[in-house]
Amino acid sequence: ATEEHEYVDLGLPSGTLWATCNVGASVPEEYGDYFAWGETIPKGNYTWNSYKWGQTSPDGYWVLLKYNTENQYGVVDNITELELADDAAYTILGASWQIPNWEQTCELVEHGTWTWTSRNGVYGQLGTGPNGNTVFLPAAGNVYGDNFHSPGNQGWRGEYLASTLMSDDSYRCRYLLISTLG
């Protein structure tokens, strides 16, 4: 893991600093690696059956083994924020980094001015912070199933996972959606 990753200070009220590019990317317009929520290694198959924190129960239902708040979904641990060992940014980039939580993600959106644009031929959202500094979020698409080599929606949509579970559904995490639709 390296601590030598570039960041930008957007002048946000919390003082949160944002990486200038995605995990696995070396420049802002590269998509970087794709991860399932709570996993730290990219893989070739993004299905429930390949999810690190789930398994099929003896009675044939798919259940969660970690990060669950609901009895009907399996083992309840009430953990709703990624632990550092399950945070791709922390494990790959080093101890100074982590996937943003939902509060930080909302702050980024609410205090930024956002423009759909192209950077070196790659479409995405350019966010300008209160201090005038910018961050580019490429429209890297998303990966479901085994289509890793051709992720869907590239160029017009991107899903940026937060480290926070949905409050009413342990099967889903909160995420920032960017798209040409606004």
Side-chain angles (χ1 to χ4, degrees):
T2 177
E3 302 289 325
E4 304 286 327
H5 198 73
E6 290 187 33
Y7 63 87
V8 61
D9 180 351
L10 298 166
L12 299 172
S14 70
T16 298
L17 305 175
W18 285 79
T20 57
C21 58
N22 289 331
V23 174
S26 57
V27 294
E29 60 272 16
E30 285 181 0
Y31 294 155
D33 293 325
Y34 295 81
F35 298 91
W37 192 86
E39 295 186 12
T40 60
I41 299 172
K43 56 188 182 179
N45 186 348
Y46 291 82
T47 64
W48 284 114
N49 290 333
S50 70
Y51 185 52
K52 177 179 180 177
W53 301 115
Q55 72 180 23
T56 303
S57 68
D59 56 2
Y61 292 101
W62 197 87
V63 296
L64 291 168
L65 303 173
K66 187 174 183 181
Y67 300 111
N68 182 26
T69 61
E70 301 165 81
N71 285 323
Q72 71 267 28
Y73 293 155
V75 177
V76 173
D77 57 16
N78 289 313
I79 303 172
T80 59
E81 288 288 333
L82 280 179
E83 293 182 342
L84 292 177
D86 302 322
D87 183 316
Y90 179 86
T91 60
I92 294 169
L93 301 178
S96 298
W97 296 95
Q98 62 184 331
I99 294 173
N101 63 34
W102 187 237
E103 185 178 311
Q104 292 167 321
T105 302
C106 290
E107 179 188 52
L108 176 69
V109 172
E110 292 167 6
H111 291 277
T113 303
W114 295 91
T115 307
W116 186 261
T117 189
S118 175
R119 184 170 180 166
N120 295 323
V122 175
Y123 288 98
Q125 288 278 355
L126 181 68
T128 304
N131 65 7
N133 291 340
T134 62
V135 65
F136 181 73
L137 303 179
N142 51 31
V143 180
Y144 296 112
D146 61 1
N147 65 344
F148 177 73
H149 296 292
S150 59
N153 304 314
Q154 283 183 334
W156 72 274
R157 176 184 173 122
E159 294 179 11
Y160 286 83
L161 305 182
S163 64
T164 310
L165 278 181
M166 294 289 287
S167 58
D168 61 347
D169 186 351
S170 293
Y171 276 160
R172 297 174 38 216
C173 70
R174 294 199 175 269
Y175 65 95
L176 169 62
L177 171 65
I178 62 163
S179 81
T180 57
L181 305 175

